[in-house]
Amino acid sequence: CVIAALPMFHVFCLTVALNAPLLNGGTIIILPQFSPKEVFRAAKEHQATVFAGVPTMYNYLLQSVKGNQADFADIRLCISGGAAMPVALLKSFEQAFNVRVSEGYGLSEASPVTCFNPLDRPRKAGSIGRNIVNVENKVVDEF
């Protein structure tokens, strides 16, 4: 049961919050816009298990947690993308909500995910993970 609070025209939402749940027979809770209050309400009401967002969304959720930790109790996985998540935010969010945040990297031109942190083993905080199956990434210019 995935909360879709990202803009649906963006490939991150299309892939993670719409296509993946549909492909796997999941339920999608569509929020017309991001609001921490509405995310917490929807998570509790629908017993959502997955939330996907950009780091700014995680920061807003963390800053507005007063009394809302229990509303996120059923969330088993949080997925972050769109920008690098500061390690301090990642650790604070995970501690506050007792949930793992996994980061990945992608771009629209690649439809879109190219690498993701493994879900079945330890990950390196602040890393975008490893290449997904059948994808090879290459750093061409570090600057």
Side-chain angles (χ1 to χ4, degrees), residues 31-72:
L31 300 182
Q33 61 188 20
F34 173 74
S35 158
K37 181 180 177 182
E38 286 302 305
V39 169
F40 288 127
R41 182 201 59 74
K44 183 176 183 178
E45 179 181 331
H46 300 284
Q47 298 176 317
T49 55
V50 178
F51 174 77
V54 297
T56 304
M57 295 166 96
Y58 287 99
N59 191 36
Y60 277 115
L61 290 168
L62 184 62
Q63 298 305 315
S64 64
V65 297
K66 295 175 181 65
N68 293 322
Q69 288 95 336
D71 296 346
F72 236 43

PDB file of all heavy atoms in Angstrom, residues 31-72:
ATOM      1  N   LEU A  31      -2.532  11.252  -3.102  1.00  0.00           N
ATOM      2  CA  LEU A  31      -2.733  12.544  -2.451  1.00  0.00           C
ATOM      3  C   LEU A  31      -2.564  13.630  -3.512  1.00  0.00           C
ATOM      4  O   LEU A  31      -1.572  13.623  -4.242  1.00  0.00           O
ATOM      5  CB  LEU A  31      -1.730  12.751  -1.322  1.00  0.00           C
ATOM      6  CG  LEU A  31      -1.768  11.719  -0.193  1.00  0.00           C
ATOM      7  CD1 LEU A  31      -0.753  12.071   0.895  1.00  0.00           C
ATOM      8  CD2 LEU A  31      -3.161  11.622   0.411  1.00  0.00           C
ATOM      9  N   PRO A  32      -3.510  14.554  -3.631  1.00  0.00           N
ATOM     10  CA  PRO A  32      -3.427  15.574  -4.682  1.00  0.00           C
ATOM     11  C   PRO A  32      -2.255  16.532  -4.531  1.00  0.00           C
ATOM     12  O   PRO A  32      -1.802  17.112  -5.508  1.00  0.00           O
ATOM     13  CB  PRO A  32      -4.752  16.321  -4.584  1.00  0.00           C
ATOM     14  CG  PRO A  32      -5.315  15.981  -3.254  1.00  0.00           C
ATOM     15  CD  PRO A  32      -4.721  14.664  -2.840  1.00  0.00           C
ATOM     16  N   GLN A  33      -1.759  16.673  -3.302  1.00  0.00           N
ATOM     17  CA  GLN A  33      -0.566  17.489  -3.059  1.00  0.00           C
ATOM     18  C   GLN A  33       0.073  17.019  -1.768  1.00  0.00           C
ATOM     19  O   GLN A  33      -0.570  16.377  -0.945  1.00  0.00           O
ATOM     20  CB  GLN A  33      -0.906  18.965  -2.979  1.00  0.00           C
ATOM     21  CG  GLN A  33      -1.865  19.302  -1.860  1.00  0.00           C
ATOM     22  CD  GLN A  33      -2.341  20.742  -1.933  1.00  0.00           C
ATOM     23  OE1 GLN A  33      -2.257  21.368  -2.982  1.00  0.00           O
ATOM     24  NE2 GLN A  33      -2.832  21.262  -0.839  1.00  0.00           N
ATOM     25  N   PHE A  34       1.344  17.343  -1.609  1.00  0.00           N
ATOM     26  CA  PHE A  34       2.050  16.931  -0.407  1.00  0.00           C
ATOM     27  C   PHE A  34       1.671  17.813   0.777  1.00  0.00           C
ATOM     28  O   PHE A  34       1.717  19.038   0.689  1.00  0.00           O
ATOM     29  CB  PHE A  34       3.563  16.980  -0.609  1.00  0.00           C
ATOM     30  CG  PHE A  34       4.334  16.719   0.648  1.00  0.00           C
ATOM     31  CD1 PHE A  34       4.414  15.431   1.164  1.00  0.00           C
ATOM     32  CD2 PHE A  34       4.945  17.745   1.335  1.00  0.00           C
ATOM     33  CE1 PHE A  34       5.110  15.178   2.343  1.00  0.00           C
ATOM     34  CE2 PHE A  34       5.650  17.508   2.502  1.00  0.00           C
ATOM     35  CZ  PHE A  34       5.727  16.221   3.006  1.00  0.00           C
ATOM     36  N   SER A  35       1.302  17.171   1.848  1.00  0.00           N
ATOM     37  CA  SER A  35       1.025  17.835   3.119  1.00  0.00           C
ATOM     38  C   SER A  35       1.389  16.838   4.204  1.00  0.00           C
ATOM     39  O   SER A  35       0.841  15.725   4.214  1.00  0.00           O
ATOM     40  CB  SER A  35      -0.453  18.212   3.216  1.00  0.00           C
ATOM     41  OG  SER A  35      -0.842  18.373   4.562  1.00  0.00           O
ATOM     42  N   PRO A  36       2.304  17.178   5.112  1.00  0.00           N
ATOM     43  CA  PRO A  36       2.648  16.229   6.172  1.00  0.00           C
ATOM     44  C   PRO A  36       1.418  15.711   6.914  1.00  0.00           C
ATOM     45  O   PRO A  36       1.296  14.516   7.168  1.00  0.00           O
ATOM     46  CB  PRO A  36       3.563  17.037   7.093  1.00  0.00           C
ATOM     47  CG  PRO A  36       4.201  18.032   6.194  1.00  0.00           C
ATOM     48  CD  PRO A  36       3.123  18.408   5.211  1.00  0.00           C
ATOM     49  N   LYS A  37       0.491  16.597   7.219  1.00  0.00           N
ATOM     50  CA  LYS A  37      -0.731  16.203   7.933  1.00  0.00           C
ATOM     51  C   LYS A  37      -1.508  15.146   7.142  1.00  0.00           C
ATOM     52  O   LYS A  37      -1.970  14.149   7.696  1.00  0.00           O
ATOM     53  CB  LYS A  37      -1.604  17.436   8.176  1.00  0.00           C
ATOM     54  CG  LYS A  37      -2.882  17.154   8.925  1.00  0.00           C
ATOM     55  CD  LYS A  37      -3.674  18.429   9.130  1.00  0.00           C
ATOM     56  CE  LYS A  37      -4.998  18.124   9.809  1.00  0.00           C
ATOM     57  NZ  LYS A  37      -5.812  19.340   9.987  1.00  0.00           N
ATOM     58  N   GLU A  38      -1.635  15.352   5.834  1.00  0.00           N
ATOM     59  CA  GLU A  38      -2.366  14.407   4.989  1.00  0.00           C
ATOM     60  C   GLU A  38      -1.609  13.093   4.796  1.00  0.00           C
ATOM     61  O   GLU A  38      -2.209  12.028   4.705  1.00  0.00           O
ATOM     62  CB  GLU A  38      -2.710  15.040   3.641  1.00  0.00           C
ATOM     63  CG  GLU A  38      -3.823  16.053   3.733  1.00  0.00           C
ATOM     64  CD  GLU A  38      -5.105  15.447   4.304  1.00  0.00           C
ATOM     65  OE1 GLU A  38      -5.595  14.433   3.764  1.00  0.00           O
ATOM     66  OE2 GLU A  38      -5.600  15.974   5.319  1.00  0.00           O
ATOM     67  N   VAL A  39      -0.285  13.164   4.719  1.00  0.00           N
ATOM     68  CA  VAL A  39       0.510  11.936   4.601  1.00  0.00           C
ATOM     69  C   VAL A  39       0.319  11.082   5.853  1.00  0.00           C
ATOM     70  O   VAL A  39       0.063   9.877   5.766  1.00  0.00           O
ATOM     71  CB  VAL A  39       2.008  12.251   4.373  1.00  0.00           C
ATOM     72  CG1 VAL A  39       2.861  10.989   4.519  1.00  0.00           C
ATOM     73  CG2 VAL A  39       2.207  12.862   2.989  1.00  0.00           C
ATOM     74  N   PHE A  40       0.421  11.700   7.024  1.00  0.00           N
ATOM     75  CA  PHE A  40       0.228  10.955   8.275  1.00  0.00           C
ATOM     76  C   PHE A  40      -1.187  10.394   8.370  1.00  0.00           C
ATOM     77  O   PHE A  40      -1.397   9.255   8.777  1.00  0.00           O
ATOM     78  CB  PHE A  40       0.530  11.837   9.487  1.00  0.00           C
ATOM     79  CG  PHE A  40       1.990  12.132   9.670  1.00  0.00           C
ATOM     80  CD1 PHE A  40       2.431  13.439   9.788  1.00  0.00           C
ATOM     81  CD2 PHE A  40       2.934  11.117   9.730  1.00  0.00           C
ATOM     82  CE1 PHE A  40       3.779  13.725   9.972  1.00  0.00           C
ATOM     83  CE2 PHE A  40       4.279  11.389   9.904  1.00  0.00           C
ATOM     84  CZ  PHE A  40       4.699  12.699  10.025  1.00  0.00           C
ATOM     85  N   ARG A  41      -2.189  11.204   7.985  1.00  0.00           N
ATOM     86  CA  ARG A  41      -3.578  10.750   8.032  1.00  0.00           C
ATOM     87  C   ARG A  41      -3.791   9.550   7.115  1.00  0.00           C
ATOM     88  O   ARG A  41      -4.366   8.537   7.517  1.00  0.00           O
ATOM     89  CB  ARG A  41      -4.531  11.890   7.640  1.00  0.00           C
ATOM     90  CG  ARG A  41      -6.011  11.492   7.715  1.00  0.00           C
ATOM     91  CD  ARG A  41      -6.899  12.395   6.881  1.00  0.00           C
ATOM     92  NE  ARG A  41      -6.555  12.418   5.466  1.00  0.00           N
ATOM     93  CZ  ARG A  41      -6.806  11.440   4.597  1.00  0.00           C
ATOM     94  NH1 ARG A  41      -7.399  10.333   4.994  1.00  0.00           N
ATOM     95  NH2 ARG A  41      -6.464  11.545   3.335  1.00  0.00           N
ATOM     96  N   ALA A  42      -3.309   9.661   5.879  1.00  0.00           N
ATOM     97  CA  ALA A  42      -3.482   8.581   4.904  1.00  0.00           C
ATOM     98  C   ALA A  42      -2.738   7.327   5.337  1.00  0.00           C
ATOM     99  O   ALA A  42      -3.245   6.206   5.176  1.00  0.00           O
ATOM    100  CB  ALA A  42      -3.001   9.036   3.531  1.00  0.00           C
ATOM    101  N   ALA A  43      -1.535   7.496   5.870  1.00  0.00           N
ATOM    102  CA  ALA A  43      -0.752   6.340   6.324  1.00  0.00           C
ATOM    103  C   ALA A  43      -1.499   5.574   7.404  1.00  0.00           C
ATOM    104  O   ALA A  43      -1.568   4.344   7.374  1.00  0.00           O
ATOM    105  CB  ALA A  43       0.612   6.791   6.835  1.00  0.00           C
ATOM    106  N   LYS A  44      -2.069   6.296   8.345  1.00  0.00           N
ATOM    107  CA  LYS A  44      -2.798   5.648   9.439  1.00  0.00           C
ATOM    108  C   LYS A  44      -4.110   5.035   8.951  1.00  0.00           C
ATOM    109  O   LYS A  44      -4.403   3.881   9.231  1.00  0.00           O
ATOM    110  CB  LYS A  44      -3.077   6.664  10.545  1.00  0.00           C
ATOM    111  CG  LYS A  44      -3.763   6.063  11.747  1.00  0.00           C
ATOM    112  CD  LYS A  44      -3.936   7.083  12.855  1.00  0.00           C
ATOM    113  CE  LYS A  44      -4.561   6.443  14.074  1.00  0.00           C
ATOM    114  NZ  LYS A  44      -4.691   7.403  15.182  1.00  0.00           N
ATOM    115  N   GLU A  45      -4.872   5.812   8.211  1.00  0.00           N
ATOM    116  CA  GLU A  45      -6.191   5.360   7.754  1.00  0.00           C
ATOM    117  C   GLU A  45      -6.112   4.128   6.858  1.00  0.00           C
ATOM    118  O   GLU A  45      -6.925   3.217   6.966  1.00  0.00           O
ATOM    119  CB  GLU A  45      -6.893   6.497   7.009  1.00  0.00           C
ATOM    120  CG  GLU A  45      -8.266   6.123   6.481  1.00  0.00           C
ATOM    121  CD  GLU A  45      -8.929   7.261   5.721  1.00  0.00           C
ATOM    122  OE1 GLU A  45      -8.645   8.440   6.025  1.00  0.00           O
ATOM    123  OE2 GLU A  45      -9.741   6.964   4.825  1.00  0.00           O
ATOM    124  N   HIS A  46      -5.134   4.091   5.977  1.00  0.00           N
ATOM    125  CA  HIS A  46      -5.033   3.007   4.994  1.00  0.00           C
ATOM    126  C   HIS A  46      -3.964   1.976   5.336  1.00  0.00           C
ATOM    127  O   HIS A  46      -3.727   1.061   4.552  1.00  0.00           O
ATOM    128  CB  HIS A  46      -4.759   3.591   3.605  1.00  0.00           C
ATOM    129  CG  HIS A  46      -5.833   4.518   3.135  1.00  0.00           C
ATOM    130  ND1 HIS A  46      -7.046   4.073   2.670  1.00  0.00           N
ATOM    131  CD2 HIS A  46      -5.864   5.873   3.085  1.00  0.00           C
ATOM    132  CE1 HIS A  46      -7.793   5.110   2.330  1.00  0.00           C
ATOM    133  NE2 HIS A  46      -7.105   6.208   2.579  1.00  0.00           N
ATOM    134  N   GLN A  47      -3.317   2.132   6.488  1.00  0.00           N
ATOM    135  CA  GLN A  47      -2.240   1.236   6.912  1.00  0.00           C
ATOM    136  C   GLN A  47      -1.200   1.083   5.801  1.00  0.00           C
ATOM    137  O   GLN A  47      -0.794  -0.022   5.441  1.00  0.00           O
ATOM    138  CB  GLN A  47      -2.789  -0.117   7.348  1.00  0.00           C
ATOM    139  CG  GLN A  47      -3.722  -0.012   8.546  1.00  0.00           C
ATOM    140  CD  GLN A  47      -4.339  -1.331   8.916  1.00  0.00           C
ATOM    141  OE1 GLN A  47      -4.769  -2.099   8.054  1.00  0.00           O
ATOM    142  NE2 GLN A  47      -4.381  -1.601  10.211  1.00  0.00           N
ATOM    143  N   ALA A  48      -0.787   2.221   5.264  1.00  0.00           N
ATOM    144  CA  ALA A  48       0.189   2.245   4.176  1.00  0.00           C
ATOM    145  C   ALA A  48       1.509   1.617   4.624  1.00  0.00           C
ATOM    146  O   ALA A  48       1.896   1.727   5.783  1.00  0.00           O
ATOM    147  CB  ALA A  48       0.421   3.678   3.710  1.00  0.00           C
ATOM    148  N   THR A  49       2.179   0.967   3.687  1.00  0.00           N
ATOM    149  CA  THR A  49       3.438   0.288   3.993  1.00  0.00           C
ATOM    150  C   THR A  49       4.650   0.900   3.296  1.00  0.00           C
ATOM    151  O   THR A  49       5.773   0.596   3.661  1.00  0.00           O
ATOM    152  CB  THR A  49       3.350  -1.200   3.616  1.00  0.00           C
ATOM    153  OG1 THR A  49       2.974  -1.311   2.245  1.00  0.00           O
ATOM    154  CG2 THR A  49       2.335  -1.922   4.494  1.00  0.00           C
ATOM    155  N   VAL A  50       4.429   1.758   2.285  1.00  0.00           N
ATOM    156  CA  VAL A  50       5.535   2.358   1.538  1.00  0.00           C
ATOM    157  C   VAL A  50       5.253   3.843   1.327  1.00  0.00           C
ATOM    158  O   VAL A  50       4.132   4.227   0.998  1.00  0.00           O
ATOM    159  CB  VAL A  50       5.732   1.674   0.162  1.00  0.00           C
ATOM    160  CG1 VAL A  50       6.850   2.343  -0.628  1.00  0.00           C
ATOM    161  CG2 VAL A  50       6.004   0.191   0.319  1.00  0.00           C
ATOM    162  N   PHE A  51       6.298   4.647   1.507  1.00  0.00           N
ATOM    163  CA  PHE A  51       6.222   6.070   1.194  1.00  0.00           C
ATOM    164  C   PHE A  51       7.433   6.428   0.353  1.00  0.00           C
ATOM    165  O   PHE A  51       8.557   6.037   0.679  1.00  0.00           O
ATOM    166  CB  PHE A  51       6.198   6.937   2.456  1.00  0.00           C
ATOM    167  CG  PHE A  51       6.255   8.403   2.158  1.00  0.00           C
ATOM    168  CD1 PHE A  51       5.129   9.075   1.715  1.00  0.00           C
ATOM    169  CD2 PHE A  51       7.447   9.102   2.275  1.00  0.00           C
ATOM    170  CE1 PHE A  51       5.187  10.428   1.410  1.00  0.00           C
ATOM    171  CE2 PHE A  51       7.513  10.458   1.979  1.00  0.00           C
ATOM    172  CZ  PHE A  51       6.375  11.123   1.541  1.00  0.00           C
ATOM    173  N   ALA A  52       7.213   7.172  -0.723  1.00  0.00           N
ATOM    174  CA  ALA A  52       8.301   7.635  -1.577  1.00  0.00           C
ATOM    175  C   ALA A  52       8.268   9.154  -1.630  1.00  0.00           C
ATOM    176  O   ALA A  52       7.201   9.747  -1.799  1.00  0.00           O
ATOM    177  CB  ALA A  52       8.164   7.060  -2.987  1.00  0.00           C
ATOM    178  N   GLY A  53       9.441   9.766  -1.464  1.00  0.00           N
ATOM    179  CA  GLY A  53       9.481  11.218  -1.502  1.00  0.00           C
ATOM    180  C   GLY A  53      10.882  11.738  -1.738  1.00  0.00           C
ATOM    181  O   GLY A  53      11.853  10.984  -1.758  1.00  0.00           O
ATOM    182  N   VAL A  54      10.957  13.042  -1.911  1.00  0.00           N
ATOM    183  CA  VAL A  54      12.245  13.716  -2.051  1.00  0.00           C
ATOM    184  C   VAL A  54      12.708  14.146  -0.659  1.00  0.00           C
ATOM    185  O   VAL A  54      11.895  14.222   0.272  1.00  0.00           O
ATOM    186  CB  VAL A  54      12.144  14.922  -3.012  1.00  0.00           C
ATOM    187  CG1 VAL A  54      11.775  14.456  -4.419  1.00  0.00           C
ATOM    188  CG2 VAL A  54      11.153  15.948  -2.509  1.00  0.00           C
ATOM    189  N   PRO A  55      13.998  14.418  -0.470  1.00  0.00           N
ATOM    190  CA  PRO A  55      14.504  14.768   0.862  1.00  0.00           C
ATOM    191  C   PRO A  55      13.741  15.899   1.559  1.00  0.00           C
ATOM    192  O   PRO A  55      13.521  15.851   2.771  1.00  0.00           O
ATOM    193  CB  PRO A  55      15.959  15.147   0.595  1.00  0.00           C
ATOM    194  CG  PRO A  55      16.330  14.288  -0.573  1.00  0.00           C
ATOM    195  CD  PRO A  55      15.101  14.283  -1.437  1.00  0.00           C
ATOM    196  N   THR A  56      13.312  16.904   0.816  1.00  0.00           N
ATOM    197  CA  THR A  56      12.560  17.996   1.425  1.00  0.00           C
ATOM    198  C   THR A  56      11.280  17.494   2.081  1.00  0.00           C
ATOM    199  O   THR A  56      10.896  17.961   3.160  1.00  0.00           O
ATOM    200  CB  THR A  56      12.225  19.074   0.370  1.00  0.00           C
ATOM    201  OG1 THR A  56      13.436  19.517  -0.233  1.00  0.00           O
ATOM    202  CG2 THR A  56      11.504  20.253   0.991  1.00  0.00           C
ATOM    203  N   MET A  57      10.625  16.543   1.468  1.00  0.00           N
ATOM    204  CA  MET A  57       9.401  15.969   2.042  1.00  0.00           C
ATOM    205  C   MET A  57       9.715  15.253   3.362  1.00  0.00           C
ATOM    206  O   MET A  57       8.967  15.382   4.338  1.00  0.00           O
ATOM    207  CB  MET A  57       8.743  15.011   1.041  1.00  0.00           C
ATOM    208  CG  MET A  57       8.254  15.699  -0.213  1.00  0.00           C
ATOM    209  SD  MET A  57       7.879  14.515  -1.517  1.00  0.00           S
ATOM    210  CE  MET A  57       6.122  14.324  -1.267  1.00  0.00           C
ATOM    211  N   TYR A  58      10.803  14.505   3.379  1.00  0.00           N
ATOM    212  CA  TYR A  58      11.196  13.816   4.607  1.00  0.00           C
ATOM    213  C   TYR A  58      11.502  14.821   5.718  1.00  0.00           C
ATOM    214  O   TYR A  58      11.161  14.602   6.878  1.00  0.00           O
ATOM    215  CB  TYR A  58      12.400  12.898   4.350  1.00  0.00           C
ATOM    216  CG  TYR A  58      12.009  11.672   3.577  1.00  0.00           C
ATOM    217  CD1 TYR A  58      12.209  11.593   2.204  1.00  0.00           C
ATOM    218  CD2 TYR A  58      11.419  10.587   4.222  1.00  0.00           C
ATOM    219  CE1 TYR A  58      11.828  10.473   1.493  1.00  0.00           C
ATOM    220  CE2 TYR A  58      11.048   9.460   3.515  1.00  0.00           C
ATOM    221  CZ  TYR A  58      11.253   9.411   2.151  1.00  0.00           C
ATOM    222  OH  TYR A  58      10.863   8.299   1.454  1.00  0.00           O
ATOM    223  N   ASN A  59      12.125  15.924   5.359  1.00  0.00           N
ATOM    224  CA  ASN A  59      12.423  16.948   6.344  1.00  0.00           C
ATOM    225  C   ASN A  59      11.132  17.542   6.918  1.00  0.00           C
ATOM    226  O   ASN A  59      11.001  17.708   8.127  1.00  0.00           O
ATOM    227  CB  ASN A  59      13.298  18.044   5.735  1.00  0.00           C
ATOM    228  CG  ASN A  59      13.844  18.982   6.779  1.00  0.00           C
ATOM    229  OD1 ASN A  59      14.181  18.582   7.891  1.00  0.00           O
ATOM    230  ND2 ASN A  59      13.930  20.246   6.438  1.00  0.00           N
ATOM    231  N   TYR A  60      10.165  17.842   6.062  1.00  0.00           N
ATOM    232  CA  TYR A  60       8.883  18.363   6.536  1.00  0.00           C
ATOM    233  C   TYR A  60       8.169  17.352   7.431  1.00  0.00           C
ATOM    234  O   TYR A  60       7.588  17.717   8.453  1.00  0.00           O
ATOM    235  CB  TYR A  60       7.976  18.754   5.366  1.00  0.00           C
ATOM    236  CG  TYR A  60       8.251  20.122   4.807  1.00  0.00           C
ATOM    237  CD1 TYR A  60       8.727  20.273   3.513  1.00  0.00           C
ATOM    238  CD2 TYR A  60       8.031  21.269   5.569  1.00  0.00           C
ATOM    239  CE1 TYR A  60       8.986  21.518   2.986  1.00  0.00           C
ATOM    240  CE2 TYR A  60       8.283  22.529   5.050  1.00  0.00           C
ATOM    241  CZ  TYR A  60       8.759  22.652   3.757  1.00  0.00           C
ATOM    242  OH  TYR A  60       9.014  23.898   3.243  1.00  0.00           O
ATOM    243  N   LEU A  61       8.184  16.089   7.046  1.00  0.00           N
ATOM    244  CA  LEU A  61       7.552  15.057   7.885  1.00  0.00           C
ATOM    245  C   LEU A  61       8.233  14.981   9.245  1.00  0.00           C
ATOM    246  O   LEU A  61       7.563  14.905  10.278  1.00  0.00           O
ATOM    247  CB  LEU A  61       7.606  13.696   7.184  1.00  0.00           C
ATOM    248  CG  LEU A  61       6.713  13.536   5.962  1.00  0.00           C
ATOM    249  CD1 LEU A  61       7.080  12.275   5.201  1.00  0.00           C
ATOM    250  CD2 LEU A  61       5.242  13.521   6.357  1.00  0.00           C
ATOM    251  N   LEU A  62       9.544  15.011   9.245  1.00  0.00           N
ATOM    252  CA  LEU A  62      10.302  14.925  10.491  1.00  0.00           C
ATOM    253  C   LEU A  62      10.030  16.139  11.379  1.00  0.00           C
ATOM    254  O   LEU A  62       9.873  15.996  12.592  1.00  0.00           O
ATOM    255  CB  LEU A  62      11.797  14.817  10.190  1.00  0.00           C
ATOM    256  CG  LEU A  62      12.713  14.622  11.390  1.00  0.00           C
ATOM    257  CD1 LEU A  62      12.391  13.314  12.120  1.00  0.00           C
ATOM    258  CD2 LEU A  62      14.167  14.619  10.936  1.00  0.00           C
ATOM    259  N   GLN A  63       9.942  17.324  10.778  1.00  0.00           N
ATOM    260  CA  GLN A  63       9.719  18.542  11.556  1.00  0.00           C
ATOM    261  C   GLN A  63       8.295  18.647  12.097  1.00  0.00           C
ATOM    262  O   GLN A  63       8.040  19.405  13.024  1.00  0.00           O
ATOM    263  CB  GLN A  63      10.030  19.782  10.708  1.00  0.00           C
ATOM    264  CG  GLN A  63      11.465  19.874  10.236  1.00  0.00           C
ATOM    265  CD  GLN A  63      12.477  19.789  11.367  1.00  0.00           C
ATOM    266  OE1 GLN A  63      12.321  20.420  12.395  1.00  0.00           O
ATOM    267  NE2 GLN A  63      13.516  18.988  11.175  1.00  0.00           N
ATOM    268  N   SER A  64       7.367  17.878  11.555  1.00  0.00           N
ATOM    269  CA  SER A  64       5.972  17.971  11.988  1.00  0.00           C
ATOM    270  C   SER A  64       5.488  16.703  12.680  1.00  0.00           C
ATOM    271  O   SER A  64       4.311  16.388  12.656  1.00  0.00           O
ATOM    272  CB  SER A  64       5.081  18.278  10.792  1.00  0.00           C
ATOM    273  OG  SER A  64       5.126  17.209   9.869  1.00  0.00           O
ATOM    274  N   VAL A  65       6.383  16.000  13.343  1.00  0.00           N
ATOM    275  CA  VAL A  65       6.043  14.697  13.926  1.00  0.00           C
ATOM    276  C   VAL A  65       5.294  14.748  15.246  1.00  0.00           C
ATOM    277  O   VAL A  65       4.888  13.715  15.738  1.00  0.00           O
ATOM    278  CB  VAL A  65       7.292  13.803  14.126  1.00  0.00           C
ATOM    279  CG1 VAL A  65       7.927  13.476  12.814  1.00  0.00           C
ATOM    280  CG2 VAL A  65       8.268  14.438  15.077  1.00  0.00           C
ATOM    281  N   LYS A  66       5.094  15.881  15.811  1.00  0.00           N
ATOM    282  CA  LYS A  66       4.480  15.959  17.132  1.00  0.00           C
ATOM    283  C   LYS A  66       3.211  15.109  17.213  1.00  0.00           C
ATOM    284  O   LYS A  66       2.175  15.471  16.696  1.00  0.00           O
ATOM    285  CB  LYS A  66       4.187  17.401  17.484  1.00  0.00           C
ATOM    286  CG  LYS A  66       5.454  18.225  17.617  1.00  0.00           C
ATOM    287  CD  LYS A  66       5.120  19.684  17.840  1.00  0.00           C
ATOM    288  CE  LYS A  66       6.351  20.524  17.958  1.00  0.00           C
ATOM    289  NZ  LYS A  66       7.163  20.598  16.775  1.00  0.00           N
ATOM    290  N   GLY A  67       3.329  13.972  17.886  1.00  0.00           N
ATOM    291  CA  GLY A  67       2.177  13.086  18.054  1.00  0.00           C
ATOM    292  C   GLY A  67       1.864  12.213  16.872  1.00  0.00           C
ATOM    293  O   GLY A  67       0.873  11.508  16.877  1.00  0.00           O
ATOM    294  N   ASN A  68       2.686  12.239  15.817  1.00  0.00           N
ATOM    295  CA  ASN A  68       2.349  11.519  14.594  1.00  0.00           C
ATOM    296  C   ASN A  68       3.177  10.266  14.336  1.00  0.00           C
ATOM    297  O   ASN A  68       2.970   9.599  13.342  1.00  0.00           O
ATOM    298  CB  ASN A  68       2.483  12.450  13.383  1.00  0.00           C
ATOM    299  CG  ASN A  68       1.451  13.548  13.389  1.00  0.00           C
ATOM    300  OD1 ASN A  68       0.314  13.317  13.766  1.00  0.00           O
ATOM    301  ND2 ASN A  68       1.844  14.728  12.996  1.00  0.00           N
ATOM    302  N   GLN A  69       4.141   9.951  15.211  1.00  0.00           N
ATOM    303  CA  GLN A  69       4.967   8.771  14.972  1.00  0.00           C
ATOM    304  C   GLN A  69       4.108   7.519  14.821  1.00  0.00           C
ATOM    305  O   GLN A  69       4.370   6.683  13.963  1.00  0.00           O
ATOM    306  CB  GLN A  69       5.992   8.570  16.096  1.00  0.00           C
ATOM    307  CG  GLN A  69       7.107   9.569  16.085  1.00  0.00           C
ATOM    308  CD  GLN A  69       6.831  10.751  17.006  1.00  0.00           C
ATOM    309  OE1 GLN A  69       5.688  11.064  17.308  1.00  0.00           O
ATOM    310  NE2 GLN A  69       7.882  11.413  17.435  1.00  0.00           N
ATOM    311  N   ALA A  70       3.083   7.374  15.632  1.00  0.00           N
ATOM    312  CA  ALA A  70       2.223   6.190  15.571  1.00  0.00           C
ATOM    313  C   ALA A  70       1.454   6.118  14.247  1.00  0.00           C
ATOM    314  O   ALA A  70       1.122   5.032  13.782  1.00  0.00           O
ATOM    315  CB  ALA A  70       1.245   6.180  16.741  1.00  0.00           C
ATOM    316  N   ASP A  71       1.196   7.266  13.631  1.00  0.00           N
ATOM    317  CA  ASP A  71       0.474   7.275  12.355  1.00  0.00           C
ATOM    318  C   ASP A  71       1.292   6.630  11.239  1.00  0.00           C
ATOM    319  O   ASP A  71       0.750   6.222  10.226  1.00  0.00           O
ATOM    320  CB  ASP A  71       0.117   8.708  11.952  1.00  0.00           C
ATOM    321  CG  ASP A  71      -0.838   9.356  12.932  1.00  0.00           C
ATOM    322  OD1 ASP A  71      -1.430   8.641  13.757  1.00  0.00           O
ATOM    323  OD2 ASP A  71      -0.982  10.586  12.874  1.00  0.00           O
ATOM    324  N   PHE A  72       2.605   6.553  11.418  1.00  0.00           N
ATOM    325  CA  PHE A  72       3.505   5.990  10.412  1.00  0.00           C
ATOM    326  C   PHE A  72       3.929   4.573  10.785  1.00  0.00           C
ATOM    327  O   PHE A  72       4.845   4.025  10.199  1.00  0.00           O
ATOM    328  CB  PHE A  72       4.735   6.894  10.299  1.00  0.00           C
ATOM    329  CG  PHE A  72       5.016   7.423   8.913  1.00  0.00           C
ATOM    330  CD1 PHE A  72       4.002   7.901   8.102  1.00  0.00           C
ATOM    331  CD2 PHE A  72       6.307   7.454   8.425  1.00  0.00           C
ATOM    332  CE1 PHE A  72       4.272   8.393   6.833  1.00  0.00           C
ATOM    333  CE2 PHE A  72       6.588   7.942   7.155  1.00  0.00           C
ATOM    334  CZ  PHE A  72       5.568   8.413   6.362  1.00  0.00           C
TER     335      PHE A  72
END
